[in-house]
Amino acid sequence: MEIVVCVKPVPEAETRLRPDAAGTALDPEGVKYVLAGYDESAVEQALLLRESIPGSRVHVVACGPAPRTEEVLRAALALGCDVATWVDVPAASADEPLSAARALASAISPHSPDLVLCGKQAGDNEAGVVPAALGELLGVPDLSYVLDVRWNAGASRFSLKRASEAGLESWTVPAPCVLGLQQAWNDPRTAKLPAILKSRKAPIARVTPPSAAADPASSPRRFELPPPRTGAKMIEYKTADEAATRLVRALREEAKVLP
Amino acid sequence: MTRTALVVGELSQGRLAGATHEAIGAAAIVSGSPAGVSVLLAGRSARTAAGELARSGVARVVVVEDPRFDAGPPAVLAVQAAATAARIGVGVVVVGGTTFGREIAGRVAARWDGAVATGVTEVAPEGESVRVRRPVFGGRATETRVLGGPRVVLAIRPHAFPTPASDGPTPPIEVVPAADLPAPLLGPIRTGVESAAAGAGPGLSDAAIVVSGGRGLRGPENFHLVEELAASLGAAVGASRAVTDAGWRPGSLQVGQTGKAVSPQLYIAVGISGAIQHLVGMVSSRVIVAINSDASAPIFRVADYGVVGDLFEIVPALTAEIRRVRAT
Amino acid sequence: MPDFSLSPEQESLRDLARKFARTEMTPHAAECDRAARFPEEIYRKAYDLGLMNLNVPTEFGGSGLSLLDQCLIVEELAHGCAGMTTSIIANCLALEPILLGGTSEQKERFLAPFCREYHLASFCLTEPSGGSDAGALRTRARKDGDGYVLDGEKCFITNAPHASLYTVFATVDPALRHKGVAAFVVPRSAPGVLPGKDEEKMGHRASSTSTVRFEEVRVPESDRLGPEVDGFSLAMRTLDQTRTPIGALATGIAQAALDHAAAYSLKRQTFGKAIAEHQAIQIKLANMAQAVHAARLLTWHAAWAIDHGARGTLESSIAKCFASDAALHVADEAIQTFGGYGYMKEYPVEKLLRDAKLTQIYEGANEIQRTVIARELLRAYA
């Protein structure tokens, strides 16, 4: 089975967010980009499927600029992905989810994968658009908020769970398809030191999208941090009941978060 | 010039999802009034549900009565939405902030070639374009974007938009046949659903109120205090990493850097000291309440309201007070 | 001029160690310290990730890292827990004599098991009657037929109760002093190898330290490393290799102390503002930062010099001595920054002081390091 897993370099969780000089985007100065969150779960799922389906191959694909994109591809290779493709596009394209999906689709479709896995969204701009858009662009069904994907060879279908407002749904989905993975359900593995060293020397195929398809106009205007909180207003009280009464009154009358 | 809008409705057990009402509210802002908004409802109960939009003042309700929309994946409705949007000639498609809505937004954007933004908390027309504001980086920052081009797709964030007043005219209902649905998209089949345990899955991520418990509860046998408070508020239950690591509650309830990021209207932290790993996951909540015995706990620096005291006394009193207020 | 930037490969090694320290070590550091627990499950995980036998060349199944790469990893691990780090890197010390003095047959035979599965090894040099005076060994290696019989006691041996292999230094003739020292590889299973009870230590309490008694232990000649008279030199050359990572370990402790102090200073309020806004604290933090930075650069320089073929005795002694003194000082200042809370075990900084203390003592006490530095220095003027 040919499994493609799409990953995106995102700033590591500890990054101190700061607007750039224009105030329209994250200041990339000193930011370390990593393979993280949802994408780690997607890579783990791809590797688990490969281990359970003989003759499978995991192909990791990422779009974005150097060097951050190469770094996440190498991280995925170190985790055990077999081959890697770098779709070389500028950061602005990679951050616009529809152009990212187009760039990824152009690199993926020649390989006719049986399964495309993505994190359901990226931890930076959190759009959650790419899995469904990829499904449309590749002409295959998609499902997101997915976990625990298994292959049922007899039926030629994947069985999986989907976390929705209704609860944990069970679905079966025929191959080929695109699946967007939930985070933090499969305890992603850690790359081992020898694999990390080996991944540094592994070849990475570089492709450029055939044509810079006209990006839908989406211009960043402002990137802001929330105003710092100045510390809690402390509820003064003599008895627990008094504390409860005062807090509920504040939440209803001042904060207006309770009816 | 403002844009006309199409809201893609979501039916949940035959009724309109709350998210659809919120989407209509957002669409009315973009279009200037509900009169610029059309609503698409698809599924066996679409016509009945359309009745819920009586006096909503929207331009029309497009009804597609076809069971394939009930069983199928979001992609099927997305195809119908793109076809309907093209037929009516709207300038913006708006979907609710559910898991279903987000998936629809991605496929409609690609199929209809629209500029897309999801998780939108604020929206306004700006000349020919649409200005949106949305949290990014797990709510640690917000971005404002201007979406131009002839077609715009928006998925709104839950609880961010008011449901519109119902004092307008009752919209006409147009019953239309289903669009041509590509066969591969009908391949996925839902075979069942286990109803969510409190706080599981997106229930926690999307809840308007979250009550989380931490190490201050001292043991799993006391966690019911948090659950009872949550129940009194109709809130989702969360937990700090200390609690899930110790196995008091499953990892799916963990709020924080390695768990879920939440940004509800109200977040109540019970017995949580506020390690940075936890704060990252909840600091973007609109109003934060902290209940903790240690006045120097870092949680009080991000909280809006703090109660320093014995949670074993405060929390039951709070639960009782909320029950009392709700009952009156 | 050398290039101070790390390669992407080095960055990824450091990331691996940092992630391991944060997710596996830090969360258990306080508990293991309090209970003096030897967290073997963590050491096994470190082994599985390739973080244990860092110095073993790839042809013998190891990672074959340069000394600088090893230092990058050790600093990050020590940031998580110095005691655990001591146990994790003890194999590097114990196996180094085999790497330096073993024949290819011996390397193959002794090292292969370590690269196949988790094993610990211990370096047995120090004796109750003397640590730094390695020429005055009392453990005897008596020639007997086609082998030797070892008799004596070693002390302060890291991981000894858990090790499956010991590299042991013993004298064939005490009268010969340095020239009588020979090095042997002794399996734990050999009759007469008797590790003692865990010592109760001030710091590094997640590590295990004990005596090892050798009672009439028969060692075949094929398990002797190098010529009979070469043991002392082998021990010294080993320590030349492993001293620099101790600088990295101390730097990791110092960095952890600085991190805790700086973060706390922004949170803690006195006189109506964060203590970070008081100049007294700013000066403290600035001095701590200088010490950490200098310790790291001296360590990197020593590692770089040795990686480039220098013996590095002077550079590694300077690095180890400076970094360990810096660690003690920075940990001390971190406690001072925390005030009364810093003295409490509930907060993480007092442990750092206890852990830092050992880095001034083990792998050559700082007094010996200064003696070496002075000797090397004066040689240039003689």
Side-chain angles (χ1 to χ4, degrees), chain B residues 77-127:
Chain B
L77 183 52
V79 169
Q80 181 68 49
T84 306
R87 182 175 64 78
I88 303 177
V90 298
V92 56
V93 168
V94 184
V95 296
T98 58
T99 59
F100 210 76
R102 277 213 171 181
E103 287 191 57
I104 289 171
R107 192 173 277 265
V108 170
R111 194 171 180 88
W112 190 54
D113 193 21
V116 58
T118 57
V120 171
T121 53
E122 287 173 35
V123 65
E126 184 172 293

Short mmCIF file of all heavy atoms in Angstrom, two decimals, chain B residues 77-127:
data_model
loop_
_atom_site.label_atom_id
_atom_site.label_comp_id
_atom_site.label_asym_id
_atom_site.label_seq_id
_atom_site.Cartn_x
_atom_site.Cartn_y
_atom_site.Cartn_z
N LEU B 77 -22.36 16.91 1.33
CA LEU B 77 -23.06 18.18 1.51
C LEU B 77 -22.24 19.32 0.92
O LEU B 77 -22.79 20.30 0.40
CB LEU B 77 -23.34 18.41 3.00
CG LEU B 77 -24.13 19.66 3.37
CD1 LEU B 77 -25.43 19.77 2.59
CD2 LEU B 77 -24.42 19.67 4.87
N ALA B 78 -20.91 19.19 0.98
CA ALA B 78 -20.05 20.24 0.41
C ALA B 78 -20.27 20.36 -1.09
O ALA B 78 -20.30 21.47 -1.64
CB ALA B 78 -18.57 19.92 0.71
N VAL B 79 -20.44 19.24 -1.75
CA VAL B 79 -20.68 19.26 -3.20
C VAL B 79 -21.99 19.99 -3.48
O VAL B 79 -22.09 20.84 -4.37
CB VAL B 79 -20.71 17.83 -3.75
CG1 VAL B 79 -21.22 17.81 -5.19
CG2 VAL B 79 -19.32 17.19 -3.66
N GLN B 80 -23.02 19.64 -2.69
CA GLN B 80 -24.32 20.30 -2.86
C GLN B 80 -24.18 21.81 -2.58
O GLN B 80 -24.75 22.63 -3.30
CB GLN B 80 -25.34 19.69 -1.89
CG GLN B 80 -26.72 20.28 -1.99
CD GLN B 80 -27.40 19.95 -3.32
OE1 GLN B 80 -27.41 18.79 -3.74
NE2 GLN B 80 -27.92 20.96 -3.99
N ALA B 81 -23.42 22.16 -1.56
CA ALA B 81 -23.26 23.57 -1.19
C ALA B 81 -22.58 24.35 -2.32
O ALA B 81 -23.01 25.46 -2.67
CB ALA B 81 -22.44 23.68 0.09
N ALA B 82 -21.52 23.75 -2.89
CA ALA B 82 -20.81 24.45 -3.96
C ALA B 82 -21.74 24.63 -5.16
O ALA B 82 -21.76 25.71 -5.80
CB ALA B 82 -19.56 23.67 -4.36
N ALA B 83 -22.54 23.59 -5.46
CA ALA B 83 -23.45 23.69 -6.60
C ALA B 83 -24.52 24.75 -6.34
O ALA B 83 -24.84 25.57 -7.21
CB ALA B 83 -24.09 22.32 -6.86
N THR B 84 -25.06 24.75 -5.12
CA THR B 84 -26.11 25.72 -4.78
C THR B 84 -25.55 27.14 -4.80
O THR B 84 -26.19 28.07 -5.30
CB THR B 84 -26.70 25.38 -3.40
OG1 THR B 84 -27.12 24.01 -3.41
CG2 THR B 84 -27.88 26.26 -3.07
N ALA B 85 -24.35 27.30 -4.25
CA ALA B 85 -23.73 28.63 -4.22
C ALA B 85 -23.54 29.15 -5.64
O ALA B 85 -23.80 30.32 -5.94
CB ALA B 85 -22.40 28.57 -3.48
N ALA B 86 -23.10 28.27 -6.53
CA ALA B 86 -22.87 28.68 -7.92
C ALA B 86 -24.20 29.02 -8.60
O ALA B 86 -24.31 30.00 -9.34
CB ALA B 86 -22.15 27.57 -8.67
N ARG B 87 -25.24 28.22 -8.29
CA ARG B 87 -26.53 28.44 -8.95
C ARG B 87 -27.16 29.75 -8.49
O ARG B 87 -27.62 30.55 -9.30
CB ARG B 87 -27.47 27.26 -8.64
CG ARG B 87 -28.84 27.36 -9.31
CD ARG B 87 -29.67 26.11 -9.07
NE ARG B 87 -30.01 25.90 -7.66
CZ ARG B 87 -31.00 26.56 -7.02
NH1 ARG B 87 -31.72 27.47 -7.65
NH2 ARG B 87 -31.24 26.29 -5.76
N ILE B 88 -27.13 30.00 -7.17
CA ILE B 88 -27.74 31.23 -6.66
C ILE B 88 -26.86 32.43 -6.98
O ILE B 88 -27.33 33.55 -7.13
CB ILE B 88 -27.97 31.14 -5.13
CG1 ILE B 88 -28.83 29.94 -4.78
CG2 ILE B 88 -28.60 32.40 -4.59
CD1 ILE B 88 -29.01 29.76 -3.28
N GLY B 89 -25.56 32.17 -7.05
CA GLY B 89 -24.64 33.26 -7.34
C GLY B 89 -24.29 34.10 -6.12
O GLY B 89 -24.18 35.31 -6.20
N VAL B 90 -24.09 33.42 -4.96
CA VAL B 90 -23.72 34.17 -3.75
C VAL B 90 -22.23 34.50 -3.77
O VAL B 90 -21.45 33.92 -4.54
CB VAL B 90 -24.05 33.37 -2.47
CG1 VAL B 90 -25.54 33.13 -2.37
CG2 VAL B 90 -23.26 32.07 -2.43
N GLY B 91 -21.82 35.42 -2.90
CA GLY B 91 -20.41 35.80 -2.81
C GLY B 91 -19.71 35.21 -1.60
O GLY B 91 -18.50 35.32 -1.47
N VAL B 92 -20.49 34.61 -0.70
CA VAL B 92 -19.86 34.02 0.48
C VAL B 92 -20.68 32.82 0.94
O VAL B 92 -21.91 32.84 0.89
CB VAL B 92 -19.68 35.08 1.62
CG1 VAL B 92 -20.98 35.73 2.00
CG2 VAL B 92 -19.03 34.45 2.85
N VAL B 93 -19.97 31.78 1.33
CA VAL B 93 -20.60 30.60 1.91
C VAL B 93 -20.18 30.54 3.38
O VAL B 93 -18.99 30.69 3.69
CB VAL B 93 -20.18 29.31 1.17
CG1 VAL B 93 -20.61 28.07 1.96
CG2 VAL B 93 -20.78 29.28 -0.22
N VAL B 94 -21.15 30.37 4.28
CA VAL B 94 -20.84 30.34 5.70
C VAL B 94 -21.32 29.01 6.28
O VAL B 94 -22.44 28.57 6.00
CB VAL B 94 -21.53 31.49 6.46
CG1 VAL B 94 -21.11 31.50 7.93
CG2 VAL B 94 -21.20 32.83 5.81
N VAL B 95 -20.44 28.36 7.05
CA VAL B 95 -20.83 27.13 7.73
C VAL B 95 -20.59 27.29 9.23
O VAL B 95 -19.80 28.13 9.66
CB VAL B 95 -20.05 25.90 7.21
CG1 VAL B 95 -20.38 25.65 5.75
CG2 VAL B 95 -18.57 26.07 7.41
N GLY B 96 -21.30 26.50 10.00
CA GLY B 96 -21.18 26.55 11.45
C GLY B 96 -19.86 25.97 11.92
O GLY B 96 -19.15 25.29 11.18
N GLY B 97 -19.54 26.22 13.19
CA GLY B 97 -18.23 25.83 13.71
C GLY B 97 -18.19 24.44 14.28
O GLY B 97 -17.57 24.21 15.31
N THR B 98 -18.83 23.49 13.62
CA THR B 98 -18.78 22.11 14.08
C THR B 98 -17.69 21.37 13.32
O THR B 98 -17.12 21.87 12.36
CB THR B 98 -20.12 21.41 13.81
OG1 THR B 98 -20.35 21.48 12.40
CG2 THR B 98 -21.26 22.10 14.53
N THR B 99 -17.44 20.13 13.72
CA THR B 99 -16.47 19.31 12.98
C THR B 99 -16.97 19.14 11.54
O THR B 99 -16.20 19.19 10.60
CB THR B 99 -16.31 17.92 13.63
OG1 THR B 99 -17.58 17.28 13.66
CG2 THR B 99 -15.78 18.05 15.04
N PHE B 100 -18.30 18.96 11.42
CA PHE B 100 -18.92 18.80 10.11
C PHE B 100 -18.71 20.06 9.26
O PHE B 100 -18.30 19.99 8.10
CB PHE B 100 -20.42 18.56 10.33
CG PHE B 100 -21.08 17.72 9.29
CD1 PHE B 100 -20.88 16.35 9.27
CD2 PHE B 100 -21.90 18.29 8.34
CE1 PHE B 100 -21.52 15.56 8.32
CE2 PHE B 100 -22.54 17.51 7.39
CZ PHE B 100 -22.34 16.14 7.37
N GLY B 101 -18.94 21.21 9.89
CA GLY B 101 -18.83 22.48 9.18
C GLY B 101 -17.44 22.74 8.64
O GLY B 101 -17.24 23.15 7.50
N ARG B 102 -16.44 22.45 9.47
CA ARG B 102 -15.06 22.70 9.05
C ARG B 102 -14.68 21.84 7.85
O ARG B 102 -13.97 22.28 6.96
CB ARG B 102 -14.11 22.39 10.19
CG ARG B 102 -14.00 23.51 11.14
CD ARG B 102 -12.60 23.51 11.68
NE ARG B 102 -12.40 24.71 12.46
CZ ARG B 102 -11.25 24.99 13.05
NH1 ARG B 102 -10.23 24.17 12.94
NH2 ARG B 102 -11.12 26.10 13.72
N GLU B 103 -15.14 20.60 7.87
CA GLU B 103 -14.80 19.73 6.74
C GLU B 103 -15.48 20.21 5.47
O GLU B 103 -14.91 20.13 4.38
CB GLU B 103 -15.21 18.29 7.06
CG GLU B 103 -14.29 17.66 8.09
CD GLU B 103 -14.51 16.17 8.20
OE1 GLU B 103 -14.40 15.46 7.20
OE2 GLU B 103 -14.79 15.73 9.32
N ILE B 104 -16.71 20.71 5.63
CA ILE B 104 -17.41 21.24 4.46
C ILE B 104 -16.66 22.43 3.89
O ILE B 104 -16.46 22.56 2.68
CB ILE B 104 -18.86 21.61 4.84
CG1 ILE B 104 -19.66 20.34 5.08
CG2 ILE B 104 -19.50 22.47 3.77
CD1 ILE B 104 -21.01 20.57 5.66
N ALA B 105 -16.20 23.31 4.79
CA ALA B 105 -15.54 24.53 4.34
C ALA B 105 -14.34 24.23 3.44
O ALA B 105 -14.16 24.86 2.39
CB ALA B 105 -15.08 25.35 5.55
N GLY B 106 -13.54 23.23 3.83
CA GLY B 106 -12.35 22.91 3.04
C GLY B 106 -12.69 22.45 1.63
O GLY B 106 -12.08 22.87 0.65
N ARG B 107 -13.71 21.59 1.55
CA ARG B 107 -14.02 21.06 0.22
C ARG B 107 -14.76 22.10 -0.63
O ARG B 107 -14.49 22.22 -1.84
CB ARG B 107 -14.84 19.77 0.32
CG ARG B 107 -14.94 19.04 -1.03
CD ARG B 107 -15.60 17.69 -0.89
NE ARG B 107 -14.72 16.63 -0.46
CZ ARG B 107 -14.08 15.79 -1.30
NH1 ARG B 107 -14.20 15.93 -2.61
NH2 ARG B 107 -13.32 14.85 -0.82
N VAL B 108 -15.63 22.88 -0.02
CA VAL B 108 -16.31 23.93 -0.80
C VAL B 108 -15.27 24.92 -1.34
O VAL B 108 -15.34 25.32 -2.51
CB VAL B 108 -17.36 24.67 0.07
CG1 VAL B 108 -17.88 25.91 -0.66
CG2 VAL B 108 -18.51 23.74 0.40
N ALA B 109 -14.30 25.28 -0.50
CA ALA B 109 -13.30 26.25 -0.94
C ALA B 109 -12.56 25.73 -2.17
O ALA B 109 -12.35 26.47 -3.14
CB ALA B 109 -12.33 26.54 0.20
N ALA B 110 -12.16 24.45 -2.12
CA ALA B 110 -11.40 23.89 -3.24
C ALA B 110 -12.29 23.72 -4.47
O ALA B 110 -11.88 23.96 -5.60
CB ALA B 110 -10.79 22.55 -2.84
N ARG B 111 -13.54 23.33 -4.25
CA ARG B 111 -14.43 23.02 -5.36
C ARG B 111 -14.97 24.28 -6.03
O ARG B 111 -15.15 24.36 -7.24
CB ARG B 111 -15.61 22.20 -4.81
CG ARG B 111 -16.43 21.52 -5.87
CD ARG B 111 -17.42 20.56 -5.24
NE ARG B 111 -18.20 19.91 -6.27
CZ ARG B 111 -17.85 18.79 -6.88
NH1 ARG B 111 -16.72 18.19 -6.54
NH2 ARG B 111 -18.60 18.27 -7.84
N TRP B 112 -15.21 25.29 -5.21
CA TRP B 112 -15.86 26.52 -5.65
C TRP B 112 -14.82 27.61 -5.88
O TRP B 112 -15.13 28.70 -6.30
CB TRP B 112 -16.86 26.88 -4.55
CG TRP B 112 -17.83 27.97 -4.82
CD1 TRP B 112 -18.70 28.10 -5.86
CD2 TRP B 112 -18.07 29.11 -3.97
NE1 TRP B 112 -19.46 29.23 -5.71
CE2 TRP B 112 -19.09 29.86 -4.55
CE3 TRP B 112 -17.51 29.54 -2.76
CZ2 TRP B 112 -19.58 31.04 -3.98
CZ3 TRP B 112 -18.00 30.69 -2.19
CH2 TRP B 112 -19.03 31.44 -2.81
N ASP B 113 -13.56 27.27 -5.55
CA ASP B 113 -12.43 28.18 -5.70
C ASP B 113 -12.63 29.46 -4.90
O ASP B 113 -12.58 30.57 -5.45
CB ASP B 113 -12.19 28.48 -7.19
CG ASP B 113 -10.82 29.15 -7.38
OD1 ASP B 113 -9.97 29.00 -6.49
OD2 ASP B 113 -10.64 29.83 -8.41
N GLY B 114 -12.84 29.30 -3.61
CA GLY B 114 -13.06 30.47 -2.77
C GLY B 114 -11.91 30.69 -1.80
O GLY B 114 -11.22 29.75 -1.42
N ALA B 115 -11.71 31.93 -1.40
CA ALA B 115 -10.76 32.21 -0.32
C ALA B 115 -11.42 31.76 0.98
O ALA B 115 -12.61 32.00 1.18
CB ALA B 115 -10.45 33.69 -0.26
N VAL B 116 -10.64 31.08 1.84
CA VAL B 116 -11.28 30.43 2.98
C VAL B 116 -10.66 30.85 4.30
O VAL B 116 -9.46 31.07 4.40
CB VAL B 116 -11.23 28.88 2.81
CG1 VAL B 116 -9.80 28.39 2.68
CG2 VAL B 116 -11.95 28.16 3.93
N ALA B 117 -11.51 30.99 5.31
CA ALA B 117 -11.04 31.19 6.69
C ALA B 117 -11.94 30.38 7.60
O ALA B 117 -13.16 30.36 7.42
CB ALA B 117 -11.10 32.67 7.06
N THR B 118 -11.32 29.72 8.58
CA THR B 118 -12.09 28.90 9.52
C THR B 118 -11.87 29.42 10.93
O THR B 118 -10.95 30.21 11.18
CB THR B 118 -11.66 27.43 9.44
OG1 THR B 118 -10.27 27.36 9.71
CG2 THR B 118 -11.94 26.84 8.08
N GLY B 119 -12.71 28.97 11.84
CA GLY B 119 -12.58 29.38 13.24
C GLY B 119 -12.77 30.88 13.42
O GLY B 119 -12.20 31.48 14.34
N VAL B 120 -13.61 31.46 12.58
CA VAL B 120 -13.76 32.92 12.55
C VAL B 120 -14.57 33.39 13.76
O VAL B 120 -15.63 32.85 14.05
CB VAL B 120 -14.45 33.33 11.23
CG1 VAL B 120 -14.83 34.79 11.26
CG2 VAL B 120 -13.55 33.01 10.05
N THR B 121 -14.04 34.39 14.46
CA THR B 121 -14.75 34.92 15.63
C THR B 121 -15.38 36.29 15.37
O THR B 121 -16.27 36.71 16.09
CB THR B 121 -13.80 35.07 16.83
OG1 THR B 121 -12.67 35.85 16.40
CG2 THR B 121 -13.33 33.72 17.32
N GLU B 122 -14.85 37.00 14.36
CA GLU B 122 -15.43 38.30 14.02
C GLU B 122 -15.41 38.42 12.51
O GLU B 122 -14.49 37.94 11.85
CB GLU B 122 -14.61 39.46 14.59
CG GLU B 122 -14.73 39.63 16.08
CD GLU B 122 -13.75 40.70 16.58
OE1 GLU B 122 -13.51 41.68 15.86
OE2 GLU B 122 -13.24 40.50 17.70
N VAL B 123 -16.41 39.08 11.98
CA VAL B 123 -16.48 39.22 10.54
C VAL B 123 -17.11 40.58 10.23
O VAL B 123 -17.93 41.07 10.99
CB VAL B 123 -17.28 38.05 9.92
CG1 VAL B 123 -18.73 38.08 10.38
CG2 VAL B 123 -17.21 38.06 8.42
N ALA B 124 -16.67 41.19 9.14
CA ALA B 124 -17.27 42.46 8.73
C ALA B 124 -17.02 42.66 7.25
O ALA B 124 -15.96 42.27 6.74
CB ALA B 124 -16.65 43.62 9.51
N PRO B 125 -17.97 43.24 6.54
CA PRO B 125 -17.71 43.59 5.14
C PRO B 125 -16.70 44.73 5.11
O PRO B 125 -16.70 45.59 5.99
CB PRO B 125 -19.07 44.03 4.61
CG PRO B 125 -19.90 44.34 5.80
CD PRO B 125 -19.31 43.64 6.98
N GLU B 126 -15.80 44.70 4.15
CA GLU B 126 -14.85 45.80 4.00
C GLU B 126 -14.73 46.08 2.51
O GLU B 126 -14.01 45.38 1.79
CB GLU B 126 -13.49 45.44 4.59
CG GLU B 126 -12.52 46.60 4.53
CD GLU B 126 -11.23 46.31 5.31
OE1 GLU B 126 -11.29 46.19 6.54
OE2 GLU B 126 -10.17 46.21 4.66
N GLY B 127 -15.48 47.07 2.06
CA GLY B 127 -15.54 47.34 0.62
C GLY B 127 -16.07 46.11 -0.08
O GLY B 127 -17.08 45.53 0.30
#
